[in-house]
Amino acid sequence: MRAAVVGGGLGGVAAAVALRRIGWDVVVLERAAEFGEVGAGIGVMPNALRALDLLDLSSEVRSVGTPRVAGAVLDPRGRRLTHVDAVHQDQVVAVHRADLHRVLRSALPAECLVTSTEVTSTADLDADLVVAADGIHSRIRAELFPTFPRPVYSGATAWRSVTSAVFPADLMISQTLGSGTEFGVLPLGDGRVCWYAATVAAAGHAVEDDLAEVKRLVGAWHDPIPAVLDATPPGTILRHDVHELKAELPTFVRGNVALLGDAAHAMTPFLGQGACMAIEDAVVLAASLREHDLPTGLAAYDKARRTRTRRIANASRAAGRFGMFVRTPIATTIRDTVMRAIPSRLAIRGMTRFTSWNPPVDSLDR
Ligand SMILES: Cc1cc2nc3c(=O)[nH]c(=O)nc-3n(C[C@H](O)[C@H](O)[C@H](O)COP(=O)(O)OP(=O)(O)OC[C@H]3O[C@@H](n4cnc5c(N)ncnc54)[C@H](O)[C@@H]3O)c2cc1C
């Protein structure tokens, strides 16, 4: 059986690895001239690590990611709203996106990966299965669901970068919630720090100097935020308006095409689960096709993934509403008081509701 994967982002490459594990021939068609990922970090949650386990890639991802450290949600003065000890953590691993992409690619032979190829229609592809992993603005989705609403602006814009300097090994993973703005610190295995800042803003909010704008928003917040920003080379900052697919696709499968990752369910990043869902999709697709013939396998994939991804997308939107979209001083005080009152054990349980997912099979090997 032969699959053509449209799009070589994290989702497309993970799908290619998973499908090859069940014995399929796979080609990944990527429109960019090179495979790779943007210069930012990504939180790989325990659910995605379990999916990567099935691809035998989780230990490599762990080796380039965050060491076992504590995690906390803080207020801008550095006071704890929630705290998770290192020993209790079902560990989140922060990795540089380029490293995660490289680890996934390393499991594929070079001839699987074709660059500079923009797919304009599924009709052009000669394959038993087409995996549409062409991202939030998916052309394949538009072809198959021409009346489906386009992605919408979430109301937040985000900046991301990585420090050039190295920070102490025990630096916590943290998310700091202010009023209308949040900041995240994700230490990498090599001591550099990935960070993101997000703020409520009108769509298309562009400034001349992104680093200066982030410093204006959070430069006076607690340590190590000022030092992290000072250690960020100017000109390395990515800014994106955050969009999501608010409407729910009626199906992730049309004929022999399976939508996967952001093409199927682009969500807000407030739970850090978008790429994790794409990696889960990849192993569930392969597991379903290993167990069944093509139509039944695709139906099983659709059933398994639509419910789960919708639940996570809704929870992610809600996390944003309770987090950075809280803007007035009184609402911020109420939010912070509620968060402080929640015992850490319950906060952990709240998170594990989403991260306790397990792949449907123990192995993808035939
Ligand atoms: C600010 C921010 C922070 C985030 N943080 C996290 C996080 O911590 N954890 C997490 O899990 N997720 C996070 N996400 C979400 C995550 O980045 C996405 O969900 C994930 O990258 C989607 O992967 P994908 O492969 O589905 O799509 P993409 O990464 O968009 O890949 C699509 C690929 O398809 C190619 N392509 C597009 N059209 C065509 C075509 N017609 N022909 C050929 N190729 C094509 C593109 O060039 C691209 O390479 C975050 C997102 C944002 C915006």
Side-chain angles (χ1 to χ4, degrees):
M1 297 291 274
R2 190 176 150 77
V5 178
V6 182
L10 294 168
V13 176
V17 177
L19 289 169
R20 278 183 53 83
R21 288 301 286 265
I22 61 162
W24 284 53
D25 279 341
V26 184
V27 62
V28 182
L29 305 168
E30 166 57 48
R31 76 176 164 199
E34 277 179 33
F35 281 94
E37 264 286 343
V38 296
I42 191 156
V44 184
M45 300 289 169
N47 48 310
L49 287 167
R50 274 180 229 113
L52 290 165
D53 268 341
L54 222 53
L55 305 177
D56 291 326
L57 295 175
S58 69
S59 43
E60 217 179 317
V61 170
R62 283 190 169 92
S63 74
V64 290
T66 329
R68 202 165 182 83
V69 289
V73 181
L74 305 166
D75 74 9
R77 289 165 66 183
R79 294 172 301 193
R80 282 174 186 182
L81 303 178
T82 317
H83 179 253
V84 181
D85 290 335
V87 281
H88 290 305
Q89 267 207 69
D90 193 4
Q91 180 78 359
V92 177
V93 174
V95 284
H96 196 290
R97 280 172 176 262
D99 287 336
L100 179 56
H101 201 271
R102 181 181 45 74
V103 169
L104 287 164
R105 267 192 343 260
S106 69
L108 293 172
E111 63 270 20
C112 271
L113 300 166
V114 179
T115 53
S116 305
T117 304
E118 176 153 14
V119 177
T120 51
S121 165
T122 51
D124 302 339
L125 300 170
D126 176 24
D128 299 292
L129 167 70
V130 174
V131 179
D134 51 344
I136 185 168
H137 300 292
S138 168
R139 201 161 175 161
I140 309 284
R141 184 180 62 235
E143 176 193 337
L144 300 179
F145 302 91
T147 58
F148 187 73
R150 297 195 165 280
V152 295
Y153 180 51
S154 68
T157 197
W159 292 266
R160 292 175 285 172
S161 193
V162 184
T163 63
S164 53
V166 165
F167 282 73
D170 59 353
L171 192 69
M172 276 195 306
I173 293 184
S174 63
Q175 177 190 33
T176 304
L177 295 177
S179 301
T181 300
E182 76 174 62
F183 192 88
V185 167
L186 302 164
L188 295 175
D190 64 8
R192 289 177 305 152
V193 172
C194 296
W195 60 264
Y196 70 88
T199 197
V200 179
H205 169 84
V207 292
E208 212 163 282
D209 183 340
D210 284 305
L211 187 54
E213 177 67 357
V214 177
K215 284 186 173 173
R216 184 186 71 75
L217 288 165
V218 302
W221 287 11
H222 64 81
D223 288 336
I225 295 173
V228 163
L229 294 178
D230 284 341
T232 302
T236 63
I237 299 181
L238 300 162
R239 189 192 69 80
H240 288 103
D241 282 347
V242 177
H243 288 78
E244 64 167 326
L245 273 187
K246 231 173 180 170
E248 184 179 359
L249 276 169
T251 170
F252 288 175
V253 173
R254 264 279 140 94
N256 72 335
V257 183
L259 274 72
L260 178 147
D262 278 10
H265 46 64
M267 58 187 68
T268 59
F270 306 119
L271 280 184
Q273 281 283 359
C276 296
M277 287 299 113
I279 295 168
E280 283 190 11
D281 289 347
V283 301
V284 174
L285 178 64
S288 306
L289 293 173
R290 194 189 67 151
E291 298 295 307
H292 306 287
D293 62 25
L294 185 59
T296 317
L298 288 179
Y301 165 74
D302 176 48
K303 184 162 185 274
R305 296 313 295 160
R306 246 177 332 117
T307 319
R308 165 122 175 110
T309 52
R310 177 50 36 189
R311 195 170 145 242
I312 301 286
N314 289 341
S316 188
R317 199 177 308 115
R321 271 203 300 271
F322 189 67
M324 59 162 290
F325 284 101
V326 171
R327 293 171 76 181
T328 63
I330 183 135
T332 304
T333 305
I334 293 168
R335 176 198 65 200
D336 291 0
T337 309
V338 169
M339 285 188 77
R340 263 190 217 101
I342 298 175
S344 128
R345 152 180 71 79
L346 286 184
I348 294 169
R349 203 179 300 158
M351 269 305 284
T352 52
R353 262 189 313 142
F354 308 117
T355 60
S356 60
W357 177 88
N358 278 299
V361 291
D362 294 332
S363 162
L364 286 178
D365 294 338
R366 280 174 302 163

